[in-house]
Amino acid sequence: MIAIEFLVNFTLLGFLLATALVISRTNRLFQSVMLFGIYSLLTAALFVVLDAVDVAFTEAAVGTCISTILMLSALSLTGSRREVAMHRKSPALALGVSIALGAALAVGIMDMPEFADPNAPANLHVAPYYLTESVSEIDIPNVVTSVLASYRGYDTLGEVVVIFTAGIGVIALLAGRTGKRDED
Amino acid sequence: MMLSAALIAILVGMALLLIRAFVGPTIYDRILAVNNFGTKTVLVLALYGFVTERPDFLDIAIVYALCNFIATMAILKYFEYGDLGHVGKQPEDEKL
């Protein structure tokens, strides 16, 4: 069973790498949009394999659905089909920076605790307190809900304000457009 | 064991679809490859849930299928009309 998890992880990562390479090599914009859809499906599957189901959910909704539609809208508004070939200098500098950044990140990962280690600092700081005390303090049986709605209440309020503002912006844009059409 | 075999078979299918999406040659090959790839992702998630004995994520896999459907609709509309804001042909317009 460990072997099959290993296999799924590495196959999906290999697919992700192949897709990213093809996206970076193509100059046809529609093909890039299609491949970005595949890329985010693969990312979402990897997030589920890593037990981050909520992140995977967002990735699937935003990456596969919304951003594909957004890219297609941009393509249909600009009418361009191919990436404009720019006279670039040799890609050595960009490649060097990318490899240096990747190496720095790999070195950084070595300091991190093992995946799902119960003794990791993140699991020892306030998490045991929430798990043992939240039911008696907040009186909500679900710990995640009490963390989001009470312990991190101001944070959640800020997020709600951001989403509310975005909603007002979208409504203002769409309502303005239909009003203009009615006048015509 | 059967579930693992099915999972591996679907991963092989994903590889074949990726090749189709990479080499094309027509646009419709790519659209079909992406749409099918979404279905394969749903199947992988469902089977992976059962292989790891936690089939709780099955409903999330179904929502993936819905998202994928909306994206495919948008792509096809883009190709039919070249514009996502097109309202399509209304039956009333034909009468007038």
Side-chain angles (χ1 to χ4, degrees):
Chain A
M1 206 181 84
I2 301 293
I4 191 86
E5 281 181 36
F6 193 77
L7 182 79
V8 170
N9 258 309
F10 275 83
T11 316
L12 289 178
L13 275 173
F15 288 167
L16 202 65
L17 188 65
T19 313
L21 283 175
V22 174
I23 289 172
S24 65
R25 298 303 299 172
T26 185
N27 68 345
R28 270 177 287 184
L29 294 175
F30 179 74
Q31 195 183 342
S32 311
V33 173
M34 297 278 86
L35 291 176
F36 266 120
I38 290 183
Y39 187 87
S40 37
L41 278 170
L42 283 168
T43 320
L46 271 170
F47 282 143
V48 170
V49 171
L50 288 171
D51 268 354
V53 183
D54 49 341
V55 185
F57 203 71
T58 316
E59 176 64 39
V62 174
T64 314
C65 209
I66 307 294
S67 64
T68 304
I69 295 171
L70 201 69
M71 298 275 192
L72 281 179
S73 316
L75 277 188
S76 71
L77 282 177
T78 56
S80 52
R81 297 286 174 272
R82 274 173 189 275
E83 187 182 351
V84 180
M86 290 197 283
H87 294 287
R88 293 197 190 117
K89 290 173 187 169
S90 75
L93 179 67
L95 197 64
V97 170
S98 303
I99 290 174
L101 185 65
L105 286 172
V107 171
I109 284 169
M110 284 176 195
D111 277 349
M112 286 178 73
E114 287 284 310
F115 180 63
D117 181 11
N119 294 319
N123 293 335
L124 292 177
H125 179 48
V126 285
Y129 178 80
Y130 289 162
L131 287 176
T132 51
E133 302 296 323
S134 74
V135 175
S136 58
E137 269 189 6
I138 319 279
D139 216 14
I140 298 174
N142 189 327
V143 181
V144 176
T145 308
S146 59
V147 168
L148 282 179
S150 177
Y151 294 113
R152 289 187 203 159
Y154 286 116
D155 184 56
T156 308
L157 182 68
E159 287 169 7
V160 171
V161 167
V162 168
I163 293 171
F164 182 65
T165 316
I168 290 175
V170 170
I171 290 170
L173 281 171
L174 294 179
R177 194 164 174 190
T178 48
K180 199 178 170 188
R181 269 191 193 159
D182 287 344
E183 283 166 24
D184 293 343
Chain B
M1 201 58 223
M2 281 296 284
L3 288 170
S4 304
L7 193 54
I8 290 165
I10 286 175
L11 286 175
V12 172
M14 278 174 118
L16 294 174
L17 280 170
L18 267 186
I19 292 167
R20 189 43 69 206
F22 291 164
V23 299
T26 70
I27 279 159
Y28 299 102
D29 289 319
R30 296 210 167 90
I31 294 174
L32 211 56
V34 172
N35 189 24
N36 250 314
F37 201 85
T39 316
K40 290 279 181 290
T41 312
V42 173
L43 290 174
V44 162
L45 293 186
L47 281 169
Y48 188 81
F50 282 105
V51 166
T52 53
E53 289 164 6
R54 279 181 311 166
D56 318 330
F57 303 151
L58 204 58
D59 45 349
I60 287 162
I62 294 166
V63 175
Y64 279 24
L66 290 174
C67 282
N68 193 39
F69 175 73
I70 295 170
T72 309
M73 282 295 122
I75 292 161
L76 290 176
K77 187 172 183 186
Y78 172 76
F79 268 99
E80 185 70 23
Y81 302 113
D83 177 15
L84 289 179
H86 198 283
V87 287
K89 219 176 205 178
Q90 302 285 328
E92 288 86 345
D93 292 347
E94 287 174 3
K95 282 178 197 164
L96 289 170

